[in-house]
Amino acid sequence: MATKDNGRQAAGNGIGDAERARDELSDALKAAGVKLPSLSLDAVSCAGTAPRVLIDLGRCNVATAHTLAAALRGAGPRQEAAR
């Protein structure tokens, strides 16, 4: 069960937990050869007395989308002629 600290959830959906999840996702993507340049916490979802923080995956170019799709399929990074 999550405890509350000054109106913010201390576990589960708190900002610290979201930051750790974002970093874990970033590390896993990096290991798969994927870099999402806009990976961050969604600022709007951090607001309020009991935030339910969302991780914003952001935007990426077409080559990165192909690389991400290949990584999710387990095929490894896709080789592009021009990036």
Side-chain angles (χ1 to χ4, degrees):
M1 176 186 276
T3 60
K4 295 192 182 229
D5 179 23
N6 293 330
R8 293 189 178 260
Q9 291 184 0
N13 291 312
I15 293 172
D17 187 44
E19 289 172 331
R20 287 185 293 279
R22 177 209 51 212
D23 294 345
E24 181 181 353
L25 177 58
S26 179
D27 291 346
L29 288 168
K30 184 177 180 181
V34 179
K35 167 76 170 134
L36 294 179
S38 301
L39 184 63
S40 63
L41 299 186
D42 175 63
V44 174
S45 69
C46 292
T49 58
R52 301 207 33 101
V53 184
L54 299 175
I55 297 169
D56 188 348
L57 301 180
R59 298 158 62 167
C60 66
N61 62 30
V62 172
T64 301
H66 285 302
T67 302
L68 178 57
L72 291 171
R73 285 191 300 271
R78 179 177 172 171
Q79 299 298 319
E80 294 285 330
R83 285 194 177 202

